[in-house]
Amino acid sequence: MNSAVKRIGVFTSGGDAPGMNAAIRSVVRSCMYYGIECIGIRRGYHGLINGDFLKLDFESVSGISRRGGTMLYSARSEDFKAKKGQEKAAATCKLLGLDALVGIGGDGTFRGLLCLAEQGLSVVGIPGTIDNDIACSSYTIGYDTACNTALECIDKLRDTMQSHERCSVVEVMGRHAGHVALNVGVACGATSVLVPEQPLNYEEDLIEPIRQARLGGRTNFTVIVAEGVQGGAYEVARQITEATALDTRVTILGHVQRGGVPTLRDRVAATYMGYEAVRLLAEGKTCRVIGMKGDEYVNYDIKEALKMEKGLDPQTYPVMKALTGID
Ligand code: ATP
């Protein structure tokens, strides 16, 4: 099959997410389909600067889709943010004969790709982050697995909270976005869900739902707090104890949410996105980022994509507000 590019470099960058391996596999296998060579760059932009690479063939990505993490490692590189670092990275590409790059990561990774496009490379980005906070895409690789991991932990916590009639405050990932908190909160029937996108009124958003749940007969409570909520889970727990005297316990789920076997949804999304990235490059396109609009796979100009904004899901938020406190 005729292709506009001959050799593609693929790398993962920023925070890792389950499903990144499935995306790498898809890029490699799609390259083979289009008759393109594929080189894996280890440790994101750091590896690009330092020439840290490996040749990828059919066998080297066999069976990786079901593994969490990323076989190419991920990193953040301050050096790459400077012009000198970008020139070094471009020199590595020239030495390896790369004419195109696929970067799997978040907004920072896409900004980095734009710098390399200025150096003459064709580039495509794939959204990979458990936070689902990339504006151009309704879905990002890793989100479903992370939500399911958090949900499983919360279900376990709830068993013990029920036995001891306690209040559980669970902090989930999401420094700037409450998608994980909201989704998981709806799924677990939380008493209250606190997200960074909404102004916080402790009485209205936290204490009153607990009171309503108690009046409804509940004696154990689950409060989901996104990482980015002001004061964090410990302050929320302090407010609950002060207002209600409930026996309140804090659990920070942390990095456990980043790991684990990717779900079907993540593997499928990663596989489609990997294929789309290679297809675009093979057709001579550049500076694109893959996204999802509902169930459809779409792509945008990276600069346009970076200007987009994403709020909380307008359908899920009212459901959460309507049902919290009365589970
Ligand atoms: P996550 O959402 O998981 O944090 P990310 O891709 O947004 O993923 P960042 O740490 O912001 O993560 O970016 C990854 C890397 O991309 C950075 O370490 C840096 O090397 C490069 N990068 C980020 N912003 C820029 C920029 N403005 N210009 C050039 N390179 C950048």
Side-chain angles (χ1 to χ4, degrees):
M1 203 162 288
N2 273 345
S3 164
V5 295
K6 299 276 167 272
R7 195 172 292 141
I8 290 177
V10 59
F11 63 92
T12 47
S13 163
D16 69 335
M20 281 183 162
N21 276 327
I24 295 166
R25 173 185 172 276
S26 175
V27 168
V28 174
R29 297 277 167 92
S30 303
C31 278
M32 297 182 75
Y33 174 72
Y34 281 100
I36 301 166
E37 271 188 65
C38 191
I39 304 284
I41 310 292
R42 291 193 196 94
R43 301 175 180 88
Y45 291 115
H46 180 76
L48 214 45
I49 289 175
N50 295 296
D52 189 357
F53 72 96
L54 74 163
K55 281 182 95 173
L56 294 172
D57 58 16
F58 191 92
E59 228 2 74
S60 53
V61 291
S62 193
I64 64 166
S65 290
R66 61 176 176 269
R67 297 214 304 264
T70 158
M71 66 170 280
L72 293 177
Y73 305 99
S74 193
R76 301 187 200 269
S77 167
E78 274 310 305
D79 288 349
F80 182 79
K81 288 188 179 169
K83 193 84 184 162
K84 204 169 151 213
Q86 292 158 21
E87 284 168 359
K88 267 185 155 181
T92 301
C93 294
K94 200 168 176 191
L95 179 66
L96 299 178
L98 296 176
D99 38 22
L101 288 170
V102 175
I104 307 162
D107 285 348
T109 301
F110 304 154
R111 287 197 178 89
L113 284 175
L114 282 180
C115 299
L116 289 170
E118 279 173 22
Q119 305 274 340
L121 283 136
S122 296
V123 298
V124 175
I126 293 179
T129 163
I130 63 162
D131 293 333
N132 200 23
D133 61 350
I134 294 175
C136 72
S137 189
S138 56
Y139 191 77
T140 62
I141 297 169
Y143 178 60
D144 191 56
T145 309
C147 286
N148 277 297
T149 301
L151 188 60
E152 195 185 329
C153 295
I154 293 161
D155 283 347
K156 286 178 179 163
L157 280 168
R158 192 150 167 180
D159 289 343
T160 169
M161 293 298 143
Q162 184 269 329
S163 306
H164 287 273
E165 301 179 291
R166 285 176 178 148
C167 177
S168 180
V169 177
V170 188
E171 187 177 291
V172 299
M173 287 273 185
R175 238 173 297 160
H176 308 288
H179 305 289
V180 174
L182 189 57
N183 205 28
V184 162
V186 167
C188 77
T191 314
S192 167
V193 181
L194 306 178
V195 293
E197 289 91 340
Q198 296 293 326
L200 176 57
N201 178 323
Y202 285 119
E203 180 54 34
E204 216 174 277
D205 304 320
L206 182 67
I207 307 306
E208 188 55 27
I210 292 173
R211 190 172 292 130
Q212 288 304 323
R214 183 68 196 94
L215 286 167
R218 286 194 69 86
T219 57
N220 70 90
F221 311 88
T222 305
V223 174
I224 309 294
V225 182
E227 210 181 348
V229 166
Q230 215 187 347
Y234 285 101
E235 176 56 21
V236 170
R238 199 186 66 76
Q239 295 282 344
I240 295 170
T241 313
E242 205 174 279
T244 68
L246 284 168
D247 185 1
T248 304
R249 303 295 165 102
V250 172
T251 305
I252 313 268
L253 293 184
H255 282 85
V256 71
Q257 293 161 97
R258 281 198 187 284
V261 173
T263 59
L264 175 140
R265 186 161 190 210
D266 277 327
R267 289 190 225 184
V268 171
T271 304
Y272 269 85
M273 288 182 183
Y275 170 76
E276 280 297 292
V278 175
R279 182 183 68 79
L280 290 172
L281 290 169
E283 289 174 0
K285 311 265 179 21
T286 184
C287 294
R288 309 298 292 177
V289 58
I290 314 292
M292 282 192 80
K293 201 173 176 185
D295 286 339
E296 199 189 338
Y297 291 89
V298 290
N299 62 84
Y300 300 95
D301 175 76
I302 296 183
K303 276 190 190 147
E304 294 303 315
L306 288 171
K307 280 189 221 150
M308 295 178 185
E309 284 181 17
K310 186 180 198 175
L312 287 173
D313 179 358
Q315 283 181 315
T316 314
Y317 190 72
V319 172
M320 182 278 285
K321 281 309 250 186
L323 296 191
T324 47
I326 56 171
D327 172 50

